[in-house]
Amino acid sequence: MSWRDSPDTMKNDFVRYDQRILKILLQDRTTKKNIIWATKDYEAMGPAYNDAEEILPETLADMEGRGFSTRAQKDEEEKNSRTRDKAEVFTPAWICNAQNNLVDEAWFGRKNVFNTPDHETWVPQPGPIVFPEEKHKGWKNYVDARRMEISCGEAPYLVSRYDVVTGEEFSVEKRIGLLDRKLRVVTENAADEKEWIFWSLRAFQSIYGYEYQGDNLLLARFNLLMTYQDYYRRAWGHEPAFLEVSRIATVISWNLWQMDALTYGPPLRDLQAEIREMNLFSDDEQGGIFVENPAESRCNIKDWRSKVILKYYALVKGEK
């Protein structure tokens, strides 16, 4: 399978996916290594699958095609274990839709912009989305509006290729994620393929999320990339060029990052220990021992409009 061949929605066979793209999706932009497993679920497979180990293409290959299971595919024991140990709870698509609708209601100033809820489902609104007449409320402003999903898991609020609870797959027309909505708007308004490529890239640059467990994060990143290919194929009737796919994968590797929300750093790094060690040994009179500044260990994110790398911790704390 190459990057041109979109896998089944519920099948995540990373081994058969283009290895050049997979290597991008595995990158951790803070540690400058790969994301780590950050879960003990795979440790029985050997030392390379311990929670602190990096996820590597070769270790994925050694999983003998088993791949990762989505939340819907996991057995009840594994679901309960992950909920108990990591507070992993996934939200059904109809609730994601209802909450995303509230976000858009606040932005547009009216209800049911993209769809009308109907109990535990919804009916997509037909025709192009109508935008307010106010200044800074056009379709390009909507595409550029930043959105973030915290503790994103498989990113069901951002993209909705399938219901993470039931496993039901959704056609492009029925998708309700925050990024899905942006890509719908781009498709309805872009004058040509070149403009579509430009504004779809801006849509991806405006979407953020973080996750602790490496398998979930890789699934989320993969879901975003497959979403790009789904919308591209639907809009233009052919696959995107490798350059476009790699560019989107790079944005995804920055904007969906691996983080412990308690420390604002990568999982399994004791930042408090680093602070204590720095206080003891950062002075030249102590033999010139240098310890990494723990502030530098906190997770990086990128502001694509200003083209600067920021610390998520500093943004949350209101620091410069």
Side-chain angles (χ1 to χ4, degrees):
M1 178 182 294
S2 74
W3 59 272
R4 292 184 181 275
D5 302 314
S6 179
D8 295 338
T9 297
M10 294 294 289
K11 184 177 180 181
N12 298 284
D13 192 350
F14 305 114
V15 177
R16 295 171 59 219
Y17 199 73
D18 190 296
Q19 296 298 287
R20 296 168 295 176
I21 300 297
L22 178 58
K23 288 178 181 178
I24 298 174
L25 293 180
L26 287 172
Q27 289 180 18
D28 186 311
R29 299 294 179 172
T30 299
T31 64
K32 297 180 175 59
K33 299 178 181 179
N34 281 9
I35 60 175
I36 65 173
W37 293 99
T39 174
K40 296 182 181 299
D41 288 354
Y42 307 95
E43 287 187 340
M45 299 178 65
Y49 301 88
N50 290 342
D51 56 354
E53 294 297 319
E54 295 177 66
I55 303 178
L56 303 172
E58 51 266 35
T59 53
L60 290 175
D62 288 343
M63 297 179 82
E64 299 177 350
R66 280 174 283 178
F68 295 154
S69 298
T70 64
R71 173 76 180 189
Q73 293 170 321
K74 290 179 170 65
D75 61 37
E76 289 304 315
E77 181 179 353
E78 186 175 1
K79 289 179 183 178
N80 293 337
S81 173
R82 291 171 75 101
T83 298
R84 180 178 62 252
D85 297 339
K86 295 297 181 183
E88 180 183 276
V89 179
F90 279 66
T91 309
W94 69 272
I95 293 181
C96 293
N97 179 57
Q99 293 178 315
N100 285 350
N101 280 356
L102 291 175
V103 174
D104 283 329
E105 181 181 338
W107 198 93
F108 282 87
R110 67 178 191 271
K111 293 183 177 181
N112 303 332
V113 176
F114 287 86
N115 61 72
T116 301
D118 182 14
H119 301 288
E120 294 188 2
T121 185
W122 56 90
V123 179
Q125 295 290 9
I129 301 301
V130 177
F131 283 83
E133 296 182 358
E134 295 99 311
K135 188 177 182 181
H136 305 307
K137 286 289 185 176
W139 72 269
K140 294 178 181 178
N141 303 113
Y142 180 81
V143 171
D144 271 342
R146 293 187 180 94
R147 302 285 185 260
M148 185 173 79
E149 182 178 357
I150 63 173
S151 301
C152 67
E154 296 169 29
Y157 283 92
L158 300 183
V159 292
S160 54
R161 298 173 64 228
Y162 54 85
D163 189 317
V164 296
V165 174
T166 67
E168 177 187 358
E169 299 182 22
F170 299 124
S171 65
V172 169
E173 294 79 8
K174 197 175 180 181
R175 296 184 187 179
I176 50 81
L178 295 169
L179 179 58
D180 290 309
R181 296 169 190 230
K182 290 171 180 280
L183 292 176
R184 172 180 173 175
V185 166
V186 171
T187 302
E188 291 174 348
N189 290 278
D192 52 33
E193 190 170 353
K194 182 178 180 181
E195 187 176 29
W196 191 97
I197 290 171
F198 178 83
W199 281 101
S200 62
L201 177 65
R202 302 243 325 188
F204 274 83
Q205 290 172 341
S206 74
I207 291 292
Y208 295 84
Y210 65 81
E211 167 61 22
Y212 186 97
Q213 298 177 113
D215 55 351
N216 280 346
L217 180 60
L218 185 54
L219 285 169
R221 289 178 170 184
F222 200 66
N223 280 333
L224 263 69
L225 186 65
M226 291 296 97
T227 294
Y228 179 77
Q229 293 186 216
D230 290 343
Y231 278 87
Y232 197 112
R233 189 183 305 108
R234 181 173 181 271
W236 305 108
H238 62 87
E239 298 293 339
F242 176 80
L243 176 62
E244 306 306 334
V245 176
S246 62
R247 185 177 295 158
I248 292 295
T250 298
V251 173
I252 293 171
S253 70
W254 274 100
N255 284 28
L256 266 67
W257 71 96
Q258 189 168 31
M259 186 177 77
D260 183 336
L262 298 178
T263 66
Y264 298 98
L268 306 179
R269 295 186 67 167
D270 189 349
L271 297 189
Q272 295 304 315
E274 291 183 21
I275 292 172
R276 292 192 296 272
E277 191 173 2
M278 182 183 68
N279 289 338
L280 286 172
F281 300 116
S282 61
D283 192 17
D284 281 343
E285 295 179 359
Q286 300 292 332
I289 299 175
F290 174 78
V291 177
E292 179 185 18
N293 185 341
E296 293 301 313
S297 298
R298 306 208 190 257
C299 289
N300 293 331
I301 62 171
K302 191 168 185 176
D303 184 335
W304 296 92
R305 301 283 73 82
S306 62
K307 299 180 180 179
V308 297
I309 298 172
L310 306 168
K311 293 293 179 183
Y312 180 70
Y313 173 84
L315 291 177
V316 172
K317 299 298 182 181
E319 300 175 0
K320 294 184 178 180

